[in-house]
Amino acid sequence: MATTRELQAEADTGAIAFSVNGRNVVVTSSPQQRLSRVLREDLGLTGTKVGCDAGDCGACTVLLDGEPVCACLIAAGQIAGHEVTTVEGLQRSPAGARLQQSFLAHGAAQCGACTPGMLVAATALLEKNSAPNETEVMDAIGGVLCRCTGYRKIIGAVLAAQSTATTETSPVAGDAVGRRLIRLDGKRKVDGSEIFGADEAPTGSLAVRAIRCPYHRARFQFGDLDGFVHDHPGIQAVLTAKDVPGKDCYGVILPFADQPVFAHNEARYRGEAVAAVVGEVDIVEALDPALFPVAWEELPALKNIDAALAPGAVRIHAHREGNVLVCGRVVRGDVDRALAGADITAEGEYETGFVEHAYIEPEAGFARRVGDRIEIQACTQSPYMDRSDIATILGIRPEKVRIIPTAVGGGFGSKLDLSVQPFLALAAWHLGKPVRMVYSRTESIISTTKRHPARMRLRAGCTRDGKLLALDFAADFNTGAYSSWGPTVAARVPVHASGPYYVPHYRALTRAVHTNLVPAGAFRGFGVPQAAIAQEQLYDDLADQLGMDRLEFRILNALDDDTPTVTGQVMGEGVGIRASFEALRPKWQAARKQVFEFNSKTAGPFRRGVGVAGMWYGCGNTSLPNPSTVRIGLKRDGRIALHQGAVDIGQGSNTIVAQICADALRAPIDRFDLISGDTAITPDCGKTSASRQTFVTGKAAHMAGTQLRDAILAQTKSCACASIHFEDGRVTVQEKNKTHTLALGDLPLDEHGYVITTEATFDPPTSPLDKDGQGLPYAVFGFGAHMAEIEVDTELGTVRVLKVTAAHDVGRAINPTLIEGQIEGGVAQGLGMALMEEFFPGKGENLHDYLIPSAGDIPSVESILIEDPSPIGPFGAKGIGEQAVIPTAPAILNALHDAVGIRLRKVPATPDRVRAAILAAAKGDRRG
Ligand code: FES
Ligand code: FES
């Protein structure tokens, strides 16, 4: 057999020969082409992911002659005669194969977008060092970013790869809930076969590329678009607002919809699309957007809340007076009188900035027109919402639109909004050819939604024995140029800004304010993490004034089953906040002692601190319907089809919903075939957001499973006590001494193609809020508390988080491994928000300048799962996705105050801000 070097010698000019995964290949490619591109496009090895094309994310890591490299930084010409190993080839390495198994067993792959790069980097380590320590593992994976897991489970998986044997995947019937099952979609994530948005497109697809405004606000005029197409062979069309056949106005909340696919005459933010070019892939990719015929006239822009609210400010949307999109309000009791009578009061003003979602997978997908229908396959958190918006844009009925979600390489809220979908739909619709679109990292950052910057002012009061009396909270949120989820943030924050405490007198007023900046939307918590940063620091100030232990202050004021919330809701049961705080108590006391000893005995610049913060978060929409419908069908072969439309964005709903359904039916989980997300074949399970899928879709799955069980029992005339056994081609029902058998092959099929189909819908019971925000906004809340232990270098202003202990009331831990994964990932995002992450539109629009935590930034995380069951949730379960991120940042900021006595008015607490605050404090000003 010829060696790759011999093959290269024989290859024609322009051909490059090398070995990939032990196979000799020859590709015809420009020597300057990126190896990542050659692997994915020429060889179909799409397991290698592209997150940035700039060497920043490590998603594209492959082995080149056994050494890990970023394939996006290696030119094709450099690999001639060399050996490349991708994730698809890791099975050939004993270390790689063990790692894949260990990643599954430890829940180390969530969305899976970073997983190939992580596995490859870890394989390189283990092939040289079979027993690495934690530091060596962190170093080895340090160049690969993960936005989901918080790295702990990845580190654990690498450390344990030597010892991992097999892990149970299929418990007996009725025993799935509560088990640490391997995620059902996990194998594809570790072997590289998972299909993300950019991984698939019909052969011959054209490429779509948006032309975007380079200014925060600009008027524009097109030149000769026909001439441009004519002069550029390979470009087939240019699309603009004139090409939108339906209504050119979409938005996630219909009454506030305000966003056009393409700006009309004036672009309202930097990154807004004004046109799209469609053509052959190489031509479109090589196009210099500066050559596109458009003339810009930069206009004065409103770049912050003050400018937007200033009297006489230009209205960004003509019908929104004062640039206020919407206001939120919750009022209870008499806050002014209570504050006037309070023994102790504290007040503060806090600011947070834009935070970028920074999922590793940029937005991508393809579309094709099929007669009078359009099909879009793309990464999304909300297929049915996409369907309805695309139907509006195209001016066709929703049934004519099919949305097929791919695996989602992280979403965290931003992939609830449309991104590539309208461009793809319009291009495929007009050209009648399949088209694909992949956002670059910069395009993703400049054009997709962010966490809302917040400016919050608040004042709280309590009695001298520590009982909270009142909180007065007011906040403005910078919602950017379009509405997106601004109304949700403005409505949700007033309900939550009290924290999980009994506050008898309360006023929370919010505004979402338009500016000429990138739209702010949904990001894990919908504004509640920002509010918690303010409120939890203020409550520490109250406790300090009282001379009271900060944790005991929280326990004293924690909500109980029978105390009303600030909207007057009395939950009756399932309020696990006190239990969460109490679970921290022994660790808190020990940590306080250790901090005191360290600070007393240690000379030099280092000071330690410990902080605590609590949180609550309502699962699902605020006082609005948000039903999920699940269908299950008994097949003739004895298997069970589970149609659930909840998109798994890495959090694990594919597995958790199946666990719930399996136990409701009392069938083994390996009997289930999952059918997820496709609007043509799954009922609507709503959007994956607001921590609603375990609760809402899980409940619907529980109901559908129970109904199928009842239907089988009815068909066999058996009692409820009977046991059902699913076998190949038949179902056997055992009832005392009687056995009934359903020979499935003999039974007729229903309209869905099943022997028996059941379908159930669950919509959480809530009530509208009145003019003072009183009512029942959520049927279920999740509760939790975090404790952060940190070390501050007072000379450099750097903060190192040593440990986070996270206690969460999850109602029932359906899959503890997946829940821990959510907590650890939430802690990492909270750490980023507290210490390093702030996006400035127009600056640092890449993953080099915009920093997210890497493996080296991550502390140890101890998760404590509290199970105070929800009376409504499936098996008592509550959500955890958003809950996990909320208390981390305030706990860290409280620890910072504990360590060095400063409160930062503005987060993140970057070293320059911390250092400046320390210096100011030394001069007597304790607020940065
Ligand atoms: S895609 Fe190569 S480092 Fe990000
Ligand atoms: S699992 Fe690492 S980025 Fe999603």
Side-chain angles (χ1 to χ4, degrees), residues 138-347:
M138 286 165 105
D139 285 347
I141 64 169
V144 187
L145 295 176
C146 175
R147 192 55 156 167
C148 303
T149 63
Y151 302 98
R152 295 310 316 177
K153 296 216 177 296
I154 294 174
I155 295 165
V158 180
L159 288 171
Q162 291 302 314
S163 55
T164 301
T166 53
T167 304
E168 184 182 29
T169 56
S170 183
V172 296
D175 193 27
V177 167
R179 303 293 285 262
R180 292 179 179 272
L181 296 191
I182 285 178
R183 51 185 314 142
L184 301 180
D185 52 6
K187 187 168 177 304
R188 300 195 300 271
K189 295 179 191 289
V190 300
D191 68 13
S193 62
E194 185 70 284
I195 299 295
F196 292 88
D199 291 343
E200 200 171 70
T203 307
S205 291
L206 299 173
V208 183
R209 181 165 168 189
I211 304 295
R212 298 183 181 277
C213 177
Y215 302 105
H216 292 300
R217 181 175 166 227
R219 209 171 284 134
F220 61 92
Q221 220 167 7
F222 294 122
D224 181 3
L225 297 180
D226 291 340
F228 173 79
V229 174
H230 179 266
D231 293 345
H232 288 79
I235 301 287
Q236 300 201 3
V238 168
L239 304 172
T240 68
K242 289 198 183 93
D243 299 299
V244 177
K247 190 170 167 195
D248 193 6
C249 181
Y250 67 87
V252 287
I253 303 174
L254 210 50
F256 297 91
D258 56 8
Q259 191 158 3
V261 179
F262 300 110
H264 302 197
N265 306 319
E266 182 179 316
R268 294 181 169 99
Y269 74 97
R270 175 184 158 80
E272 181 163 16
V274 300
V277 175
V278 190
E280 292 168 20
V281 174
D282 290 344
I283 305 290
V284 169
E285 283 182 356
L287 182 72
D288 178 357
L291 300 177
F292 186 80
V294 56
W296 304 102
E297 180 195 348
E298 187 177 2
L299 297 171
L302 303 173
K303 289 192 269 187
N304 57 54
I305 291 172
D306 283 336
L309 292 175
V314 170
R315 284 191 198 179
I316 293 173
H317 297 273
H319 62 295
R320 292 192 179 133
E321 195 177 338
N323 289 314
V324 174
L325 165 67
V326 68
C327 298
R329 169 188 164 91
V330 172
V331 176
R332 185 170 181 81
D334 186 341
V335 76
D336 295 320
R337 206 166 68 178
L339 281 171
D343 297 321
I344 304 285
T345 60
E347 60 189 318

Side-chain angles (χ1 to χ4, degrees), residues 36 49-61 70-73 143 847:
S36 50
K49 303 303 174 197
V50 173
C52 69
D53 256 347
D56 295 324
C57 74
C60 63
T61 302
C70 288
C72 71
L73 297 184
L847 291 179

Side-chain angles (χ1 to χ4, degrees), residues 533-553:
I533 282 175
Q535 161 262 312
E536 284 292 327
Q537 290 193 83
L538 198 75
Y539 287 3
D540 254 23
D541 288 348
L542 285 177
D544 285 355
Q545 286 190 54
L546 289 163
M548 192 171 178
D549 180 277
R550 298 162 194 153
L551 176 67
E552 297 303 329
F553 177 83

